[in-house]
Amino acid sequence: MRLQAEFVDNIDWTFYRKRLPVEVVALPGSTPAIQSVASTTWATANSPTNAELDALCQLNASLRRVFHYINGAHTLWYLKTTGSYEINRMPITLTLSAMHRLSEICRYKPSQLQSYLDGQKNWLLSEFVAMTPAQFLDEIASEMTGHQIMIPNVRLPKAVSWSEGLGSDVGTGQQWPEEHAHLYDGEAGARREDGPRLFRK
């Protein structure tokens, strides 16, 4: 089994293809898509052994360094690309640090906060303040429980995220052990330019 993901249609594939992390490689062809370098083997799709589940956990852990969950009405994932500067921390840690720093500026340096709000990059701050609380709580809950916390009254479509035909009909997450379901189920569909989406083979 290998993880395969297809990107959104409007991605600048020429740009991002050069910045893929070492955990994934680009698939041949004109469609922007990637595949994990690491893989694991299961003898059957429905009766994995303890060793096979352990191998899947290890593959999960290695891929979660670069695949990051986004809350929403659909299952969304970002792929963390490489660049000239990279902070080797998980998004939850970075988000908490940014919220803490912003609270300090708001309390002790209001004039500095006002200058940010009046600046050309004020939209970044506004979007962070508007979106971060729900994203942070959603991600914390998902990591703690091993389940996706979806918006109520949203039907979760079926999807396949692994090649070689394994993991079919996992839209409800019931085909995988619960501790793995939050990574592999959900709809094919990241909505951001730099986000990968799992796709149906």
Side-chain angles (χ1 to χ4, degrees):
M1 292 186 292
R2 296 178 187 272
L3 179 69
Q4 292 184 347
E6 189 176 70
F7 290 85
V8 292
D9 297 333
N10 59 343
I11 186 175
D12 185 353
W13 184 230
T14 302
F15 175 84
Y16 284 106
R17 185 169 187 160
K18 300 176 183 178
R19 291 163 176 78
L20 295 177
V22 297
E23 287 82 356
V24 299
V25 294
L27 290 176
S30 58
T31 301
I34 56 174
Q35 177 176 275
S36 63
V37 174
S39 64
T40 185
T41 302
W42 281 15
T44 64
N46 299 322
S47 301
T49 64
N50 290 334
E52 290 171 339
L53 290 176
D54 289 341
L56 182 62
C57 287
Q58 294 176 12
L59 180 59
N60 180 4
S62 67
L63 294 177
R64 286 303 307 277
R65 191 189 78 82
V66 294
F67 284 95
H68 301 296
Y69 174 70
I70 309 169
N71 77 309
H74 304 281
T75 303
L76 308 175
W77 294 88
Y78 274 136
L79 174 65
K80 187 175 184 179
T81 56
T82 59
S84 58
Y85 181 74
E86 178 181 350
I87 301 177
N88 190 22
R89 293 289 186 272
M90 296 297 289
I92 296 178
T93 306
L94 297 176
T95 299
L96 182 61
S97 299
M99 288 192 297
H100 183 267
R101 178 56 180 160
L102 184 59
S103 69
E104 286 184 330
I105 294 175
C106 182
R107 182 172 183 178
Y108 300 112
K109 299 180 179 180
S111 59
Q112 183 178 355
L113 176 63
Q114 188 62 48
S115 68
Y116 290 151
L117 294 175
D118 294 338
Q120 294 183 346
K121 303 294 184 179
N122 60 352
W123 64 271
L124 285 172
L125 185 58
S126 298
E127 183 170 335
F128 178 80
V129 171
M131 299 181 65
T132 294
Q135 167 68 24
F136 184 79
L137 292 175
D138 193 340
E139 194 166 354
I140 283 287
S142 295
E143 295 295 343
M144 291 178 64
T145 64
H147 295 279
Q148 294 185 81
I149 313 300
M150 306 297 290
I151 296 175
N153 299 322
V154 175
R155 183 178 180 182
L156 189 63
K158 298 179 180 179
V160 173
S161 56
W162 294 97
S163 61
E164 300 179 9
L166 296 180
S168 60
D169 285 347
V170 294
T172 62
Q174 297 302 311
Q175 296 298 319
W176 296 103
E178 289 187 357
E179 60 268 27
H180 310 307
H182 69 291
L183 177 58
Y184 307 124
D185 65 4
E187 183 197 16
R191 296 293 184 264
R192 302 300 180 89
E193 289 187 358
D194 54 350
R197 61 180 180 183
L198 304 181
F199 74 104
R200 191 172 188 85
K201 182 180 177 183

